[in-house]
Amino acid sequence: MSRKPYVREISHTTWYLARRRDLLHMAQEVTSLFIGIYTIMLLWGVKALSEGPGAYQVFLDALGSPLVIAFNWITFVIMLYHSISWFSVTPKAMPVQIGEEFLPGGIIAAGHYIAWVVVSAVIYYLAGGFNG
Amino acid sequence: MARSNKPMVWSLFAAGGTVAAFVMPVLMLLTIMAGYGQLTDSLGYEGMKSFASGWMGKLFLLVVIVTCLWHAAHRARTALHGLGLRADKAVAVIGYGIASLGSLLAVFYLLRI
């Protein structure tokens, strides 16, 4: 070790602002907060459902409050961002090897996008969304 | 050999991220529609009760709630570290504690439907 090692100053709190790549990474990390809040909302709905029609109506009324609707619209956009960024890194996290070759990342990502559309359409259909 | 809970937490995190990516946007849309008073047949009490009474509905809700809670807890931990909070142990205990409690509550409530 040299006696005066060079230490580059990096801020603990704002380092991700310097580079676009880091900023996008931080944005992806922050989506977890919204996923967490929405999941707790879902858990509250299940609790209300287990308690009976009265409790469930209170839950539905809460979903209709302007503040919750505004929060849910914001969360919806953030969820879309989570899905798109998650599927775009899937080929890197889960490479598929066939023989000596690796399947091109674009095909893996495209497969996930198609599956995403199908899964969403099936859930929407099962929830009666296409009944008009 | 040293044992670690890391692989387990990480696999729940990855599973939750994937589950969330596939189903969260459409669930959000349905939640918003319920807020506007639409889809009263399927998302009203009777519709949701019959959905959650079957084992497939129970399994769906359980998988979504448990994996997404663990995903959020783990990622909030790395995010808070990235944002400069140096209290990893406390963050881990609180985050994984909420995820554990939420997972148990999900099982408890679903079994009562």
Side-chain angles (χ1 to χ4, degrees):
Chain A
M1 274 283 270
S2 70
R3 272 182 292 171
K4 256 187 79 183
Y6 171 69
V7 179
R8 193 161 68 104
E9 291 290 334
I10 300 175
S11 163
H12 278 324
T13 50
T14 57
W15 57 272
Y16 48 87
L17 296 177
R19 284 191 301 185
R20 189 182 136 81
R21 192 183 70 189
D22 292 338
L23 190 64
L24 288 178
H25 171 74
M26 188 50 78
Q28 168 68 278
E29 298 254 288
V30 169
T31 60
S32 66
L33 185 69
F34 289 83
I35 292 179
I37 293 172
Y38 178 71
T39 309
I40 288 170
M41 204 190 283
L42 206 59
L43 183 60
W44 179 31
V46 170
K47 175 179 187 282
L49 197 60
S50 77
E51 285 168 351
Y56 192 70
Q57 192 55 48
V58 172
F59 172 68
L60 282 181
D61 289 345
L63 289 186
S65 89
L67 210 67
V68 175
I69 287 188
F71 173 82
N72 283 346
W73 274 118
I74 294 167
T75 308
F76 175 66
V77 174
I78 290 170
M79 292 301 168
L80 286 179
Y81 176 71
H82 168 79
S83 299
I84 291 165
S85 59
W86 189 268
F87 292 137
S88 68
V89 300
T90 302
K92 293 190 174 67
M94 217 177 62
V96 176
Q97 192 175 10
I98 299 170
E100 297 282 304
E101 304 293 317
F102 280 95
L103 203 61
I107 292 179
I108 301 174
H112 278 82
Y113 282 116
I114 293 167
W116 178 32
V117 171
V118 171
V119 167
S120 301
V122 167
I123 293 176
Y124 194 71
Y125 167 77
L126 289 177
F130 292 122
N131 293 348
Chain B
M1 210 170 84
R3 278 165 181 264
S4 161
N5 60 7
K6 216 172 172 180
M8 165 121 166
V9 171
W10 200 87
S11 56
L12 275 168
F13 158 76
T18 306
V19 168
F22 275 116
V23 305
M24 280 274 171
V26 68
L27 291 186
M28 281 314 305
L29 198 61
L30 292 171
T31 308
I32 291 167
M33 289 171 84
Y36 284 126
Q38 293 177 318
L39 303 177
T40 43
D41 286 345
S42 49
L43 302 182
Y45 179 74
E46 293 302 328
M48 280 308 289
K49 174 123 183 144
S50 73
F51 171 70
S53 295
W55 68 267
M56 267 182 71
K58 277 188 175 47
L59 190 67
F60 176 81
L61 289 167
L62 187 69
V63 166
V64 169
I65 291 173
V66 171
T67 62
C68 289
L69 274 180
W70 282 91
H71 171 85
H74 183 68
R75 201 163 222 181
R77 182 183 174 193
T78 56
L80 287 171
H81 182 85
L83 289 169
L85 186 69
R86 293 291 179 267
D88 187 56
K89 195 132 196 181
V91 169
V93 167
I94 293 170
Y96 298 149
I98 292 173
S100 308
L101 182 67
S103 304
L104 289 174
L105 285 175
V107 172
F108 177 72
Y109 294 137
L110 283 168
L111 288 178
R112 285 160 59 103
I113 294 173

